[in-house]
Amino acid sequence: MKQAAIKFAANSSPGERSQLSGARLINAIVEKLGTEQILVKRAPGLKTYANSSGSYSHCRGIIEVNSNNALVVYNEYVESISTASGSPVNAVRGFLPGNDLVTLAKNNATNPDIVCVSPQNGAYVLTTTGEPAEYPDSDVGRPNSVCFLDGYFFFSYRTGQCIASGLNTTAINPLDSAVMESNSGGMYRVVPFNESLYMCGPDGMEQWVNNANPSGFPFSRSAVIPSGIIGTNAITGFESGFTKSLIYVGTTNMVYQLNGVTPIRISTHDVERDIQNLADKSTLRCFVAMNNGHAFVVIKSPYWAWVFDMLTTSWQERQTYGSDTWRAEQSAYVFGDWLMGDAENGKLYRLDNNTYSEDGATLAFDVTSLPVDEFPQRMTVARADFALAAGTGRADGSTEQIIDPSVWISWSDDSGATYGNPVERKIGQQGEYSNRIYVNRCGRTRALGRQWRILVTDPVFAGIQGGVMQDTVQAMF
């Protein structure tokens, strides 16, 4: 009897051409079970937390104000969220022009000042009780981002200038400014990270530290980083509540993680190819979230979405059903958990391990194996068995898909260029843990090896450890 293992990988590799693809993991994450064995399972779903009371759309930014209040910026409007009554209550706060992504920051004043910068429209102050207002000090000019560190608001400008506010106030002295002088490319963004300020432009970054300068700009330059960011929203990992690893998309079309002041490449060729092929780099968004020990870094465009899992240092793809990209947009650590907005509507979500959908919409667990090239060429595959978690149906399910879920299995013998018609197999109703998932009479293999595709669209737990294909009809599990 001849047999070969069916293996899945930690990284998704769609390849430059479909016929050059490796393993793929769409809406899946990886967890290590031992030194070599991995479990590939469905990524956390999106569970609705709140919805815009004014029916506004497209989350541009989120900030927690205190333990009971937060603010959400939508297209043209701002809403507050209060949990004082237990459940989240949204309320419209007023007009804020634009549909671009914003940066938000708050200071340590007794009644914190909350500042919002829209690169298209300038700086504003927000409250949880009143309407947005233009920034009270005209010396702020037209910044492209804002952050807060050590008592100061810092504003960045495309010219390369950075202005600091007074200590825990919105007042600005124009002399309290500095300029990125290590290069002439200007500045896209200023962010706080590990008690340092990072001024980020296309030609490089500068690290500034608080030397408590008695006059002028309160920080002093400490280091120059020769790698720059590709756009205003192409940097993340500095957010409160995250694991604190600064990650950004560089002008090289590579993704870097900053180790001290040294950029370390973490992207794969597949990720870099997608970034390079993106015509408008300003459409890149980077944001983060954490769930069940996994620290996720999302890099998305209108045409694709990649997720870097810092726990397993691996890349997976994320797709909303019927779309090439992911609906999630922007994130923040709010009320003790991560909230994510939506690119199209006014809903806010939490990542949830026990939600196997995206707000009730299909979340397709779609994974493809590595090519099985150990099996002899032109040999008949009499049977293939899969170590897919069985018996995951739920007796209390509201639909047949939940009570008696299915998996669809198909295969390719031309490196993923084409797949045959999928074969349906039942995963098993609740308690049917010994249910075997297999297919018989699977045709002949070819020189390029065989790849197997596993698709679960029913909203139940889905996870697979691998499989075996062989030339005789004999059960392997």
Side-chain angles (χ1 to χ4, degrees), residues 190-208:
V190 61
V191 299
F193 180 66
N194 280 356
E195 300 182 358
S196 295
L197 188 72
Y198 286 81
M199 300 181 188
C200 311
D203 295 340
M205 298 192 291
E206 293 181 359
Q207 179 193 42
W208 290 64

Side-chain angles (χ1 to χ4, degrees), residues 84-135:
S85 63
S87 299
V89 177
N90 284 47
V92 178
R93 289 301 159 209
F95 176 74
L96 193 151
N99 58 10
D100 56 334
L101 299 187
V102 300
T103 51
L104 295 153
K106 65 174 183 177
N107 63 16
N108 290 329
T110 303
N111 294 311
D113 299 298
I114 305 157
V115 176
C116 171
V117 167
S118 159
Q120 294 177 357
N121 298 284
Y124 297 83
V125 290
L126 311 180
T127 72
T128 59
T129 57
E131 295 186 1
E134 292 188 1
Y135 196 83

